[in-house]
């Protein structure tokens, strides 16, 4: 695989409640994370089925990450827990199919901290890079993940494995708004595309239902995103969704 | 498209006799479902009506109607090829099990790697190359998905290997194996089937196997009846596990210990009406001293379908068919319903656990029962 340009292709399915808020905050706080992560919001993690995950895997992303709200915090009562079962079942099927189950990440958290979200993505992305390196032989193609549901929300971000996340969380510097350029990721990730820092883009006013920042601003435009993936059909929506890092309203 | 279907299935011979509808287990419980009408509609060249009709997804492709049609209309093929067109036209069926099963089949055309074989029990002997290959099909996958249904599909695969070992064969089990494509094929997705089939044929060639043994009659029927249409004559023999074991018994290579009990046998559509294998499973059961086989009123070519196929459309109607079959099986006085197909086992077990009938008959896959008769 993935020998493309560095970062692995990640599809992140993010519950529209806490995790999406965290993603919004990541943008607002100017956090950055891998441009190869495609974040797709789902109304509830409980809506993610085993079939949807298997179909996503058939699109051959390097990893799929599902982010659900923390235990006891599901807006619809138990979507996060049923999602947990779905993820477990999917991992078992992956094992049978000869796909490393670690390529399916799962995060249960109601933490809406944008930095945590960014580090969740980067942590998962880093784990997947290691897997790719290790599995050099086992072919996983590089294609980008099928972008199943695009659409709804403008923004979003995903989160993957927790442990990683926590670990990395600390060190990352949050880019302060304005001067995003400078900040760009300390880590040496190579970003494929040009910066489009277009701060301006923003605009979409989705208001987050959840916690903290209600401020209108939310959405962060992507900075580092890879240009090529832009092909997605709904360009604008996708774009903002994939927004790489530095956001800032 | 429709025209070609009519020509290929000889639908133009239809006499409108209605025997198909009268024979159909779905029509019995679902008055809107009529194979005869569907054929008529096609003959009137009402393409739109034919493709948009959701009922084309209700057919079990059980083959009962085709077996009885006086004009030899191939209704199963008619259904299949109409489904191909309907799917293209944007009218797919409703997948059962939330699409999980068809999704893991599709996954095997793309993302899947080398299959995990750690499910094979430690005391069993298998190999990577050899003359006889055991095609496990989707059993390891079913083992994950249907565990909660009380169906141990991995156990079925293991008991098959155990019996083959007992018959003196150390089968090849290949990590490069893929789903046979039966379900995508019968739900109108021939492309997926072809991709899977090519990989399987290559895998078998590389294994050096001259004979391939199947636990699942659907895989068996695909290899025996469908693959040759697309890829020419197979370069190896195929056998359902019951045929393989019955032959081993006949040759004196396999014998069973005593086992008390009365069982009845469910003829799977693919093994029976499609592949014409009726006797071998019965011979095999008869090889167990003390085991008595009693037949259901509808057996062999008249057997009632297990009520679902292709992982599309599972409704009230399907449940009723299954309950009817479970009741019929219990009515024979047998304590166990032996199935020749892992999928019949899954579907009937699903109905049995719904609680609609008290104390449902026990359902077992044939190799599970036979492996038990091996003793220790
Ligand atoms: S049984 Fe055959 S001839 Fe009779 S109505 Fe059905 S398709 Fe036509
Ligand atoms: S194949 Fe079976 S279910 Fe389908 S129409 Fe014929 S009898 Fe009915």
């Amino acid at each position: 695989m993935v020998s493309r340009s560095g970062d692995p292709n990640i599809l992140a399915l993010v519950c529209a409640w806490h995790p999406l808020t965290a993603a919004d905050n990541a943008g607002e706080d100017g956090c950055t994370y891998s441009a190869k992560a495609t974040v797709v919001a789902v109304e509830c993690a409980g809506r993610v089925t085993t079939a949807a995950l298997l179909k996503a895997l058939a699109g051959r992303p390097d990893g799929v990450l599902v982010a659900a709200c923390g235990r006891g915090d599901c807006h619809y009562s138990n979507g996060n827990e049923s999602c947990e079962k779905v993820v477990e079942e999917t991992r078992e099927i992956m094992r049978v199919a000869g796909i490393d189950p670690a390529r399916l990440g799962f995060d249960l958290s109601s933490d809406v901290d944008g930095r945590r979200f960014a580090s969740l993505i980067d942590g998962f992305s880093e784990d997947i890079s290691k897997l790719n390196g290790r599995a050099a032989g086992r072919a996983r193609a590089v294609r980008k993940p099928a972008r199943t549901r695009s659409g709804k929300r403008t923004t979003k971000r995903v989160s993957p494995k927790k442990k990683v996340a926590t670990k990395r969380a600390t060190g990352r510097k949050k880019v302060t708004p304005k001067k995003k350029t400078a900040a760009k990721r300390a880590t040496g990730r190579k970003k494929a595309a040009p910066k489009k820092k277009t701060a301006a883009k923003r605009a979409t006013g989705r208001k987050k239902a959840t916690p903290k920042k209600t401020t209108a601003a939310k959405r962060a435009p992507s900075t580092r995103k890879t240009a090529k993936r832009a092909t997605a059909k709904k360009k604008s929506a996708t774009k903002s969704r994939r927004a790489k890092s530095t956001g800032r309203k | 498209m429709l025209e070609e279907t009519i020509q290929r299935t000889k639908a133009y011979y239809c006499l409108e006799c209605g025997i198909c509808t009268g024979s159909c287990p779905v029509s019995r419980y679902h008055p809107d479902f009529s194979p005869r009408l569907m054929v008529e509609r096609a003959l009137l060249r009402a393409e739109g009506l034919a493709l948009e009709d959701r009922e084309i997804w209700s057919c079990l492709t059980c083959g009962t109607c085709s077996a009885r049609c006086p004009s030899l209309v191939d209704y199963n093929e008619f259904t299949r090829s109409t489904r191909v067109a309907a799917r293209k036209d944007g009218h797919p069926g409703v997948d059962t099990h939330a699409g999980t099963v068809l999704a893991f089949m599709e996954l095997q055309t793309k993302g899947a790697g080398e299959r995990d074989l750690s499910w094979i029990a430690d005391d069993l002997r298998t190999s990577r190359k050899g003359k006889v290959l055991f095609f496990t099909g989707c059993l390891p996958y079913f083992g994950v998905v249907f565990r909660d249904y009380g169906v141990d599909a991995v156990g079925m695969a293991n008991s098959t290997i155990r019996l083959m070992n007992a018959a003196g064969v150390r089968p090849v089990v290949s990590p490069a194996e893929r789903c046979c494509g039966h379900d995508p094929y019968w739900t109108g997705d021939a492309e997926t089937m072809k991709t899977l089939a090519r990989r399987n044929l290559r895998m078998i060639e590389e294994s050096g196997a001259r004979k391939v043994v199947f636990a699942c009659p659907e895989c068996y029927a695909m290899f025996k009846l469908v693959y040759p249409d697309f890829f020419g004559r197979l370069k190896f023999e195929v056998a359902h596990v019951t045929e393989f074991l019955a032959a081993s018994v006949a040759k004196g290579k396999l014998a069973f210990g005593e086992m008390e009990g009365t069982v009845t046998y469910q003829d799977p559509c693919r093994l029976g009406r499609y592949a014409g294998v009726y006797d071998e499973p019965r011979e095999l059961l008869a090889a167990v001293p003390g085991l008595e086989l009693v037949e259901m009123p509808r057996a062999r070519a008249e057997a009632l379908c297990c009520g679902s196929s292709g992982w599309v459309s599972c409704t009230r109607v399907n449940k009723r068919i299954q309950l009817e079959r479970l009741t019929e099986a219990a009515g024979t006085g047998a304590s166990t319903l032996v199935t020749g197909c892992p999928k019949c086992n899954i579907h009937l077990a699903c109905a049995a656990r719904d609680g609609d009938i008290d104390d449902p008959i026990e359902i077992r896959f044939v190799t599970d029962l036979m492996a038990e008769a091996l003793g220790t």
Side-chain angles (χ1 to χ4, degrees), chain B residues 10-11 13-21 23 35-37 39-40 43 65-66 68-75:
Chain B
K10 308 231 183 334
Y13 279 145
C14 175
L15 308 165
E16 296 189 48
C17 67
I19 288 178
C20 47
T21 305
S23 313
R36 180 189 63 85
L37 264 183
V39 171
E40 291 331 301
L43 291 173
C65 54
S66 299
R68 296 185 188 173
C69 174
S71 304
L72 305 180
V73 173
D74 184 352
Y75 190 76

Side-chain angles (χ1 to χ4, degrees), chain B residues 174-365:
Chain B
S174 172
E177 189 186 316
R178 292 287 187 265
C179 162
C180 69
H182 174 280
D183 299 321
Y185 179 69
W186 282 97
T187 49
D189 181 4
E191 290 313 309
T192 293
M193 182 281 286
K194 283 191 249 175
T195 307
L196 294 166
R198 271 187 221 106
R199 294 194 176 203
N200 282 326
L201 293 172
R202 196 185 321 136
M203 175 276 290
I204 292 169
E205 188 167 343
E206 283 166 6
S207 75
R210 310 312 317 269
K211 180 168 217 150
V212 179
V213 177
F214 302 85
C216 177
E218 303 201 334
C219 306
Y220 171 60
M222 283 306 284
F223 274 76
K224 187 170 179 175
L225 309 171
V226 178
Y227 282 13
D229 282 354
F230 290 90
F231 307 101
R233 246 186 99 227
L234 302 180
K235 302 197 188 86
F236 47 86
E237 275 179 73
V238 293
H240 184 247
V241 63
T242 55
E243 292 179 288
F244 180 81
L245 296 174
S248 299
V249 169
K251 285 187 226 149
K253 292 190 193 154
L254 181 64
F256 297 97
E258 189 126 346
M259 188 180 222
E260 289 290 298
T262 306
V263 300
T264 185
Y265 174 71
Q266 164 75 16
D267 284 281
C269 306
R270 265 52 181 176
L271 192 59
R273 281 182 291 268
Y274 279 55
V277 177
Y278 297 112
D279 296 330
E280 289 83 349
R282 293 176 166 80
E283 287 163 15
L284 191 60
L285 291 168
V288 181
L291 194 68
E292 193 195 346
L293 171 68
V294 287
E295 296 287 359
M296 286 183 267
R298 287 173 291 180
R300 302 176 73 97
E302 304 298 317
L304 180 62
C305 173
C306 69
S308 184
S309 83
W311 312 105
V312 285
S313 292
C314 188
T315 66
R316 221 156 37 115
V317 174
N318 303 72
K319 285 293 156 226
R320 284 176 156 194
I321 295 169
Q322 289 158 355
L323 293 178
E324 179 184 336
R325 190 56 164 171
L326 288 173
T327 309
E328 184 176 349
T332 61
S335 59
T336 303
L337 171 60
V338 178
T339 66
C341 174
K343 291 180 183 173
C344 294
N345 194 310
I346 290 167
H347 298 141
L348 292 170
C350 173
R353 77 196 259 283
D354 281 349
D356 292 321
I357 40 181
D358 296 331
D359 199 14
I361 187 169
E362 179 193 38
I363 304 157
R364 297 194 74 182
F365 183 56

Side-chain angles (χ1 to χ4, degrees), chain A residues 84-96, chain B residues 97 100-101 104 116 118-119 138-156 311 342 345-347 349-350 353:
Chain A
E84 191 173 19
K85 290 194 189 118
V86 160
V87 167
E88 199 31 63
E89 180 182 66
T90 308
R91 284 183 179 149
E92 280 196 65
I93 291 174
M94 290 167 75
R95 214 169 280 130
V96 172
Chain B
H97 300 278
T100 302
V101 181
F104 70 60
D116 167 60
S118 63
W119 53 267
C138 291
L139 288 176
Y141 288 89
F142 292 158
V144 175
V145 180
F146 297 108
R147 192 182 297 139
D148 296 347
Y149 290 63
V151 175
D152 178 11
V154 163
M156 295 175 188
W311 312 105
N345 194 310
I346 290 167
H347 298 141
C350 173
R353 77 196 259 283

Side-chain angles (χ1 to χ4, degrees), chain B residues 20-21 23-27 33-36 38 58-66 75-76 79 83 269 273-274 305 321:
Chain B
C20 47
T21 305
S23 313
C24 176
V26 175
S27 301
F33 183 78
S34 165
R36 180 189 63 85
M38 283 189 255
S58 302
C59 170
L60 307 170
T61 66
C62 71
T64 309
C65 54
S66 299
Y75 190 76
N76 304 309
T79 298
R83 285 175 177 183
C269 306
R273 281 182 291 268
Y274 279 55
C305 173
I321 295 169

